[in-house]
């Protein structure tokens, strides 16, 4: 990846287009699950989202393999796709980018207020 790709995110765009092309080959219920996974997993990303690309690739590979085996989506992911996504990125209590920003803001405010004493 060169500097321009890293700044513009074009490498991630290419990778996501590849993921979407692979997902279109899945059965309809798997495609719906893939859309839910992608919409629920982005909140766990860092500023760029690059940390999620290997996770998305693995999740899509899981869907491809299990659809080829003829398993239903409920057998693979269960009923709670949000919980599945949280488990992919860490624990049930995985921090989102909002949690990280809130924590950083609280630390900055506490530091500034602590300096006023």
């Amino acid at each position: 990846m060169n500097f321009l790709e890293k700044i513009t995110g074009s490498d991630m765009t290419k990778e996501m287009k590849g993921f979407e092309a692979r997902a279109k080959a899945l059965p309809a219920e798997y495609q719906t699950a893939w859309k839910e996974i992608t919409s629920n997993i982005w909140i766990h990303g860092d500023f760029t989202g690059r940390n999620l690309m290997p996770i998305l690739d693995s999740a899509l590979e899981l869907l491809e393999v299990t659809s080829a085996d003829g398993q239903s989506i409920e057998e693979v992911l269960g009923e709670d796709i949000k919980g599945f996504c949280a488990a992919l990125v860490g624990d049930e209590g995985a921090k989102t980018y909002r949690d990280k920003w809130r924590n950083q803001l609280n630390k900055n405010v506490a530091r500034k207020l602590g300096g006023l004493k």
Side-chain angles (χ1 to χ4, degrees):
M1 158 180 34
N2 64 35
F3 179 73
L4 184 61
E5 287 178 334
K6 191 170 188 172
I7 295 298
T8 62
S10 64
D11 61 319
M12 288 178 50
T13 303
K14 289 176 191 174
E15 198 167 356
M16 282 306 296
K17 285 182 181 180
F19 291 161
E20 294 304 322
R22 288 169 51 193
K24 284 184 181 178
L26 295 171
E29 68 174 349
Y30 278 83
Q31 289 180 24
T32 304
W34 171 249
K35 288 178 186 175
E36 283 189 58
I37 289 170
T38 55
S39 66
N40 284 308
I41 207 160
W42 284 110
I43 62 170
H44 298 287
D46 60 8
F47 181 71
T48 63
R50 289 188 199 291
N51 65 322
L52 297 177
M53 299 313 269
I55 296 170
L56 287 169
D57 184 38
S58 297
L60 184 57
E61 186 175 346
L62 172 70
L63 295 178
E64 290 170 334
V65 168
T66 55
S67 71
D69 289 344
Q71 294 179 338
S72 73
I73 200 69
E74 289 80 21
E75 291 176 316
V76 179
L77 303 179
E79 297 294 324
D80 183 20
I81 292 184
K82 281 187 178 184
F84 174 79
C85 292
L88 279 177
V89 296
D91 282 328
E92 195 63 36
K95 291 189 175 187
T96 66
Y97 66 91
R98 290 183 195 114
D99 296 328
K100 293 173 188 174
W101 289 348
R102 185 179 304 113
N103 189 22
Q104 181 181 2
L105 177 64
N106 289 340
K107 284 181 181 178
N108 289 340
V109 169
R111 189 179 75 239
K112 295 285 184 184
L113 291 176
L116 294 175
K117 289 183 179 179

